[in-house]
Amino acid sequence: MRIAGHQAIRSAIRDRIVAGEWKLGERIPDEADFAEEFACSRTTVNRAIQALADEGIVERKRKGGTRVRPLPLRVAQFPIPILRAQVESRGMAYSSRVARRERRPVPDAVAGRMAIDDAPCLYLETVHLADGHPFAFETRWVNLETVPAFESADFTTISANEWLVRTVPFTRGEIGLSAVTAGTSLALALDVPEGSALLAMERVTWFEDRSVTTMTLYHRPDHRMEFEI
Amino acid sequence: MRIAGHQAIRSAIRDRIVAGEWKLGERIPDEADFAEEFACSRTTVNRAIQALADEGIVERKRKGGTRVRPLPLRVAQFPIPILRAQVESRGMAYSSRVARRERRPVPDAVAGRMAIDDAPCLYLETVHLADGHPFAFETRWVNLETVPAFESADFTTISANEWLVRTVPFTRGEIGLSAVTAGTSLALALDVPEGSALLAMERVTWFEDRSVTTMTLYHRPDHRMEFEI
DNA sequence: GAGTGGTCTAGACCACGCT
DNA sequence: GCGTGGTCTAGACCACTCG
């Protein structure tokens, strides 16, 4: 049957896999066969099946052919949340307030994560507000050796995070999620009872092997992160 | 300069973007120019730049050319954690214990999430153990209308999750993460103090528009999910 | 050794969306 | 309109790995 386009071919093959035409781990026809079946070139079939491999639906090996993944590999993708957008998408007004900003020696735990010894760092605490009510609390260390200009930046019109994204745009990073119990100061900052369970997201970002910043974001107890797989 | 392979070309272009050769939002040369520069065909350049677009580094538009993404889109990808693998990778022995298994009317909240009305469902509670100590507690509803065979499945050698993955391998799903406070029964099941902050991961999975299962996994307070971006 | 995917090429046509 | 990316083709050679 003639099918047009690598996307269509990809869907056609995926549908047959999902429908169970081949068992888990079983080999599917090779590219040449599909090329004949769909009356297209092998190049096009290659693109289609490569995409399925990227999705985690099939595994490919030279000479070994293409097989349906025995235990489907599932990867969840979630966009790094942007607080302003999150708030505004709910029809609320976003604002933020810097509660603390000072040079301060970096605790050992943070120094370890940022792989710094005694680089100068700036410490920031920020409250993020929706319609004037706190909904997240952020602590952040910024490595001034990597981004010296940060020290004299003005965060009245642009948040620290936005400043960093614009200044050091292409960073790698690590993310950690955990649940923490609100202590006195966190409870105060977020206006929640002490002992509340908070979702904490920690992020360390790097620019070419130098750490840029470590940030931890504490969300209110009712917060829920959602995404699809 | 002659560079071999679309991967190498992709890296070369990415390096120049990261180094700041073009500003955020600025247009980079078109495919034909790069093809000449790297002495390769335009097809190869196209593959390279498409990959950069998938990474979120550049945006492409017909006629508009290719531009460095103004606010880099970061997407975190993480593999859906498999409990057995998680435990075993730490050198501990994995086991699980089904604490409860019964047909039970589905609470409204769950019914809403699974988009079912009065489909028969099986409810399971499972404790996941590492070296005999509980490290996660799972509650699960399984839609028997979608997977009737689940009711008579035996979970002594294979977990409910593995059974489902093998039986309904290609599912879509939604994931939600939140922090919850351990109540009496959760505290008991996980052997932690009442009031502890637990990281909860809820997952709803679908097979072709029919819900398969809803599961919530409660982790011990010290648990941390990590991934890279 | 031989089968399969991985990749490249040169050329072509099309579709979108600026100008 | 026309420049740019999106896609397809037919053929080719290579690299891995299974038997």
Side-chain angles (χ1 to χ4, degrees):
Chain A
M1 176 174 42
R2 172 104 204 165
I3 291 191
H6 62 90
Q7 300 241 31
I9 290 174
R10 165 180 166 180
S11 298
I13 297 176
R14 181 178 34 217
D15 287 349
R16 286 163 66 176
I17 290 172
V18 168
E21 177 160 341
W22 303 282
K23 301 195 187 96
L24 295 186
E26 194 177 350
R27 190 162 166 185
I28 73 174
D30 65 29
E31 297 183 347
D33 292 339
F34 277 126
E36 192 180 351
E37 173 178 346
F38 295 126
C40 67
S41 73
R42 181 168 82 87
T43 312
T44 302
V45 173
N46 181 283
R47 281 185 73 172
I49 301 185
Q50 284 228 5
L52 293 179
D54 291 339
E55 277 183 61
I57 304 254
V58 299
E59 283 178 316
R60 320 196 75 190
K61 250 189 294 196
R62 286 161 150 131
K63 166 71 179 180
T66 300
R67 292 171 181 281
V68 179
R69 260 214 142 82
L71 281 174
L73 170 72
R74 310 301 301 195
V75 267
Q77 267 204 352
F78 80 97
I80 303 298
I82 298 164
L83 293 176
R84 175 185 297 279
Q86 258 179 37
V87 171
E88 291 176 349
S89 73
R90 293 183 199 172
M92 298 191 279
Y94 171 83
S95 59
S96 67
R97 183 171 56 79
V98 175
R100 189 184 288 252
R101 173 185 179 143
E102 63 197 29
R103 283 179 83 129
R104 182 199 269 203
V106 179
D108 286 349
V110 175
R113 268 201 279 274
M114 293 179 78
I116 53 181
D117 201 17
D118 59 349
C121 282
L122 199 65
Y123 176 71
L124 281 176
E125 288 183 355
T126 309
V127 184
H128 298 272
L129 309 150
D131 279 348
H133 300 295
F135 80 93
F137 180 72
E138 173 191 309
T139 64
R140 180 189 292 274
W141 272 269
V142 178
N143 183 349
L144 294 174
E145 213 160 67
T146 307
V147 281
F150 188 84
E151 191 164 16
S152 49
D154 167 34
F155 300 128
T156 51
T157 58
I158 180 179
S159 76
N161 195 50
E162 286 179 87
W163 188 95
L164 287 166
V165 165
R166 285 175 201 281
T167 310
V168 214
F170 300 101
T171 52
R172 311 176 284 108
E174 296 131 29
I175 290 186
L177 286 165
S178 56
V180 304
T181 303
T184 311
S185 58
L186 270 176
L188 196 65
L190 284 171
D191 190 25
V192 298
E194 246 184 277
S196 301
L198 309 178
L199 183 62
M201 186 179 82
E202 186 196 17
R203 199 177 349 164
V204 188
T205 64
W206 304 81
F207 181 69
E208 292 175 350
D209 298 331
R210 291 173 312 185
S211 63
V212 176
T213 185
T214 300
M215 175 211 79
T216 306
L217 203 57
Y218 300 92
H219 293 90
R220 288 179 59 92
D222 51 8
H223 187 72
R224 189 179 149 88
M225 280 182 59
E226 291 184 330
F227 41 98
E228 300 217 331
I229 56 175
Chain B
M1 175 174 44
R2 172 103 204 163
I3 291 191
H6 62 92
Q7 300 241 29
I9 290 174
R10 164 180 166 179
S11 297
I13 297 176
R14 180 176 38 216
D15 287 348
R16 286 162 67 176
I17 291 172
V18 168
E21 178 162 340
W22 303 282
K23 300 194 187 99
L24 295 186
E26 195 177 350
R27 190 163 166 183
I28 73 174
D30 65 27
E31 297 183 348
D33 293 339
F34 277 126
E36 192 180 353
E37 173 179 346
F38 295 126
C40 67
S41 72
R42 182 169 80 89
T43 312
T44 303
V45 174
N46 181 282
R47 281 185 73 170
I49 302 185
Q50 284 229 1
L52 292 179
D54 291 341
E55 277 183 61
I57 304 250
V58 298
E59 280 178 319
R60 320 195 76 192
K61 253 191 291 197
R62 285 160 149 133
K63 167 72 180 180
T66 300
R67 292 170 182 280
V68 178
R69 260 213 141 82
L71 281 173
L73 170 74
R74 309 300 301 195
V75 182
Q77 263 205 356
F78 71 95
I80 303 297
I82 297 165
L83 293 176
R84 173 186 297 278
Q86 256 179 37
V87 170
E88 291 176 350
S89 73
R90 293 182 198 171
M92 299 190 279
Y94 171 83
S95 58
S96 67
R97 184 171 56 79
V98 176
R100 190 184 289 252
R101 173 186 180 141
E102 62 196 30
R103 284 180 84 130
R104 183 199 270 202
V106 179
D108 286 347
V110 174
R113 268 202 279 275
M114 292 179 79
I116 52 181
D117 201 18
D118 59 348
C121 281
L122 199 65
Y123 176 70
L124 280 176
E125 287 184 355
T126 309
V127 184
H128 297 273
L129 309 150
D131 280 348
H133 301 293
F135 78 94
F137 180 72
E138 173 191 311
T139 62
R140 180 190 292 274
W141 273 269
V142 178
N143 183 348
L144 294 175
E145 212 160 70
T146 307
V147 281
F150 188 85
E151 191 163 16
S152 49
D154 167 35
F155 300 128
T156 52
T157 58
I158 181 178
S159 75
N161 195 49
E162 287 179 86
W163 187 95
L164 287 166
V165 165
R166 286 175 201 281
T167 310
V168 212
F170 299 101
T171 52
R172 312 177 283 109
E174 298 131 28
I175 290 186
L177 285 165
S178 56
V180 304
T181 303
T184 311
S185 58
L186 270 176
L188 195 66
L190 284 170
D191 190 24
V192 298
E194 245 185 275
S196 300
L198 310 178
L199 183 62
M201 186 179 82
E202 186 196 19
R203 199 172 356 158
V204 188
T205 64
W206 304 81
F207 180 69
E208 291 174 350
D209 298 332
R210 290 172 313 185
S211 63
V212 176
T213 184
T214 299
M215 176 210 78
T216 306
L217 203 56
Y218 300 92
H219 292 90
R220 288 180 57 92
D222 51 7
H223 187 74
R224 189 179 149 88
M225 279 182 61
E226 292 184 329
F227 41 97
E228 301 217 333
I229 55 175

